[in-house]
Amino acid sequence: MKILVVGGGGREHALAWKLAQSARVEKVFLAPGNGGTAVDGRYENVNITGMEELGAWALVNRIALTVIGPEAPLAAGFVDEFRKLGLRVFGPSRAAAQLESSKAFSKEFMRRHGIPTAAYEVFTDAVAAHDYIDQVGAPIVVKADGLAAGKGVVVATTLAQAHEAVDAMLGQPQHMAVTAGQVPRVVIEEFLLGEEASFIVMCDGRNVLPLATSQDHKRLLNDDQGPNTGGMGAYSPAPVVTPDVHARVMREIILPTIRGMEKDGIAYTGFLYAGLMIDGNGHPKTLEFNCRLGDPETQPLLMRLKTDLVEVLLAATEPGQHGRLDDVELQWDRRTALGVVMAAHGYPLQPRSGDRITGLPGEAEDVVVFQAATVFRDGQLETSGGRVLCVTALADNVRQAQQRAYEVAQAIHFDGRHYRTDIGHRAIRN
Ligand code: AMP
Ligand code: GLY
């Protein structure tokens, strides 16, 4: 069968890589894909990004199954469009994707359904927002409503920072990813202390299947310093998610979310990612929902997945009231997988493109380099954006996986490359 993966980042490269391993797959198409998937016989890039055009292409090319990677096409309604055409697709509908695309929607949803999250208020009026900040005090967190690619969150340690964030978000809406015609809104919330983890599940409209645990590093620099990014590295499993924490997250967060969506008349299908803050007593709270897999969490996760992902996705998208994920059991490699993101000069503020990449190793059983912001031009691989690639290694423990990933990363060159050298540090307890 022919499969389509929508997107072209590291997450989508990893999805395509895993799907291509299935005996049932003839070819994996990526729209638009990247430089790595352009030159590999297992994949074929399709240079179409428009929703209707891609749906028509999938129909003509008899695509048996489509998986949508990034949030933007999900929020735009690709799943609704593909379903309308009778195509089999895994992902949430546009309505369900609001759990990620609108912070105000997801916070209100959590409040209504009693799902643990930071206390908050929503504001459209800057004066009221400033008053609220003075009332609550710092530290405090200010979030822009709408998809902001990880840049719409300010964790303010001082009142001045919080006030500045409100002015930036409510005063200059043209800089934020606010949908035309919408009033800019900010969510101001309680600062939560603890350790973060990524909790990702698959849903078929009714049944819920958790993936292995994972954790990413959102800050740019070592020791979790510097600005927030899309993620500089990730690993699986995440020791902070103990079996106890896992059970609590399923019972208090994931299941009430899926049931709550159902009650609200929105069946949730697709990957659901709860960003968690776990306090010292193992109590989890929801920082945010994403309606997709994490990037770079997907790269280590899929290196550990032993089950045929095509079978899993076919079960999840079985026609009818809901899928049959209840029949699926996922098998995971017992080893640890760890991915290190190599970023371009200037990332995250002003990533430079066009730097030539050399030193990429061939694929091995224990190391795969998933590409993201790369293009293949004039017979050469070049950078084309911020997070260029993710070196992902599998080993018996975190330390060894780290060692192996860094060994390979050091040999990969492009001008201005940079990466954190401490990915996985939280999972290494001395
Ligand atoms: P979000 O996009 O909402 O997940 O926020 C991005 C990052 O900001 C998170 O990964 C956390 O590191 C931090 N953050 C968000 N909300 C809070 C909060 N209420 N308390 C502490 N840190 C937060
Ligand atoms: N790695 C964080 C995210 O995918 O949102």
Side-chain angles (χ1 to χ4, degrees), residues 103 118 141 143 153 155 189-192 196 218 228 277 287-288:
K103 297 257 185 220
V141 182
K143 301 185 177 186
V153 176
V155 179
E189 66 177 43
E190 168 198 8
F191 173 78
L192 299 176
E196 287 181 55
K218 291 211 170 62
N228 254 321
M277 186 70 90
L287 284 176
E288 61 161 354

Side-chain angles (χ1 to χ4, degrees), residues 212-233:
T213 60
S214 63
Q215 195 168 22
D216 81 337
H217 294 266
K218 291 211 170 62
R219 303 295 199 98
L220 182 69
L221 307 171
N222 279 5
D223 295 323
D224 300 311
Q225 301 295 310
N228 254 321
T229 69
M232 295 301 291

Side-chain angles (χ1 to χ4, degrees), residues 134-386:
D134 286 330
Q135 212 179 316
V136 176
I140 192 162
V141 182
V142 184
K143 301 185 177 186
D145 196 32
L147 291 179
K151 287 164 208 137
V153 176
V154 173
V155 179
T157 48
T158 65
L159 283 177
Q161 279 172 346
H163 288 304
E164 199 181 302
V166 166
D167 285 336
M169 290 174 193
L170 289 182
Q172 301 157 322
Q174 67 274 21
H175 292 324
M176 307 310 302
V178 174
T179 315
Q182 261 185 9
V183 186
R185 290 187 290 190
V186 292
V187 174
I188 302 183
E189 66 177 43
E190 168 198 8
F191 173 78
L192 299 176
L193 207 58
E195 185 169 341
E196 287 181 55
S198 309
F199 201 100
I200 306 174
V201 302
M202 297 176 72
C203 312
D204 64 5
R206 167 136 285 265
N207 304 294
V208 182
L209 188 65
L211 303 188
T213 60
S214 63
Q215 195 168 22
D216 81 337
H217 294 266
K218 291 211 170 62
R219 303 295 199 98
L220 182 69
L221 307 171
N222 279 5
D223 295 323
D224 300 311
Q225 301 295 310
N228 254 321
T229 69
M232 295 301 291
Y235 52 95
S236 170
V240 66
V241 185
T242 60
D244 258 10
V245 172
H246 193 281
R248 283 189 77 136
V249 174
M250 285 300 286
R251 194 174 62 235
E252 295 172 12
I253 296 172
I254 300 294
L255 294 173
T257 298
I258 303 301
R259 298 293 165 256
M261 291 294 277
E262 228 177 323
K263 271 190 216 143
D264 293 351
I266 306 174
Y268 196 96
T269 53
F271 294 102
L272 177 67
Y273 164 153
L276 305 176
M277 186 70 90
I278 301 161
D279 75 10
N281 298 318
H283 294 184
K285 281 193 178 173
T286 316
L287 284 176
E288 61 161 354
F289 284 117
N290 294 315
C291 59
R292 50 172 176 82
L293 283 164
D295 189 343
E297 291 93 324
T298 304
Q299 293 84 317
L301 276 172
L302 292 185
M303 265 193 89
R304 289 188 60 216
L305 181 63
K306 290 164 96 172
T307 314
D308 182 337
L309 184 59
V310 174
E311 297 294 345
V312 180
L313 291 173
L314 286 176
T317 55
E318 180 121 310
Q321 271 278 323
H322 53 76
R324 38 168 205 87
L325 277 179
D326 48 336
D327 289 350
V328 176
E329 204 178 311
L330 299 177
Q331 304 290 330
W332 300 95
D333 195 308
R334 297 181 66 83
R335 289 175 291 175
T336 293
L338 182 143
V340 176
V341 169
M342 298 182 73
H345 178 271
Y347 179 77
L349 285 179
Q350 279 189 308
R352 185 174 70 198
S353 291
D355 289 306
R356 185 177 169 205
I357 305 166
T358 58
L360 280 179
E363 198 170 302
E365 189 271 334
D366 64 340
V367 185
V368 183
V369 179
F370 296 111
Q371 297 188 28
T374 64
V375 283
F376 205 74
R377 189 179 295 140
D378 303 329
Q380 284 184 5
L381 193 66
E382 288 179 4
T383 65
S384 64

Side-chain angles (χ1 to χ4, degrees), residues 390-406:
C390 180
V391 181
T392 314
L394 204 50
D396 285 333
N397 57 47
V398 184
R399 231 181 253 286
Q400 286 173 21
Q402 216 177 31
Q403 214 166 37
R404 188 78 179 98
Y406 282 118

Side-chain angles (χ1 to χ4, degrees), residues 10-46:
R11 165 184 48 213
E12 290 77 30
H13 195 172
L15 275 167
W17 170 84
K18 182 64 194 166
L19 292 165
Q21 288 169 18
S22 172
R24 302 182 64 161
V25 170
E26 177 192 330
K27 183 150 260 171
V28 180
F29 294 88
L30 290 100
N34 59 40
T37 57
V39 293
D40 187 317
R42 290 172 286 188
Y43 320 118
E44 194 172 318
N45 288 353
V46 181

